[in-house]
Each structure stands twice: as C-alpha cells, then as structure tokens.
Amino acid sequence: MNRTTLLLALAPAFALAACGSQPTPQPTQTAVPTPTATINRLPPPDQETFSKVLAKACPDADKVVIATCKANGMGATSFICQFGLGKDKYLRNTATVDQKDGEYVLVDADKICAAHPKGKN
C-alpha cells in the first residue's frame, strides 16, 4: 500500500474522530410569541344595515335602493360602500362607514348628506 491509498483509507476514520470529539451544543431558549390583542371587528354592512346608517346620518336623503360594502383594506375597521338612491339602481355613489362603539357610523356625514339631498336622484 502506498501513502496515498493509506491516507484515503484512513480519511473517513479521521473525520469521524474529529466529529465525535466536539461537545454537542446546548439548545437555546427561543422566545415564545405572545398573542396580540384582537380587535372586535364588525362584518361589512349589508344593504339593509347601510340603509339604516345612511338614513340615520342623512334623514333628508332618498332611500337606498342598492348597496354593497367591502373592507377598506386588510385589517381595516372601516368599509367602502357603493350605493344607489331613489330610482337609481346603479352603484354611482360612494361612502365610508367606520365602526364606533360596536356600531356603524358614516364618515364625513355632512359631506355625504350635502351631496345627496332628497329628490336629487
């Protein structure tokens, strides 16, 4: 046997000997995530609910005939609502509804009410 063959034959033994001589690392403590507080979110208002919110904020506006609302972004507590008033069966108008004390509230009610007086649609 020549030296090269002998070294190649003993190389795995040296590698195993080197691996076994090191102490095993101790497991480290990992931080346990604490649960975050959850926000009580209401679902998007349906047409009936949005109609009540708009009627409460704008008693002089025409009746809502069609409405659809969706979340104003991921994790948001406000909703974008598109709606039609009076004889208008199309979603031409937009309003933002937010949550306050577990109820829906129309954002910028004065602006929305001024833009939709009774008989305009």
Side-chain angles (χ1 to χ4, degrees), residues 22-121:
Q22 295 177 359
T24 57
Q26 295 297 323
T28 58
Q29 292 288 339
T30 56
V32 177
T34 57
T36 57
T38 57
I39 299 172
N40 293 331
R41 292 187 183 108
L42 296 171
D46 57 6
Q47 180 175 331
E48 180 183 343
T49 305
F50 177 75
S51 298
K52 290 177 184 176
V53 170
L54 188 71
K56 181 178 178 182
C58 308
D60 294 334
D62 285 329
K63 181 182 175 189
V64 175
V65 292
I66 186 169
T68 182
C69 299
K70 61 182 179 179
N72 191 11
M74 225 171 168
T77 58
S78 61
F79 305 97
I80 300 293
C81 298
Q82 295 178 307
F83 59 98
L85 298 172
K87 296 177 184 179
D88 190 6
K89 60 182 178 177
Y90 299 103
L91 301 171
R92 298 183 201 272
N93 309 297
T94 304
T96 303
V97 174
D98 206 347
Q99 300 176 35
K100 185 175 182 182
D101 299 328
E103 293 184 16
Y104 298 107
V105 178
L106 192 65
V107 177
D108 291 332
D110 295 336
K111 183 179 174 184
I112 299 294
C113 296
H116 303 291
K118 191 171 216 94
K120 180 181 175 188
N121 296 315

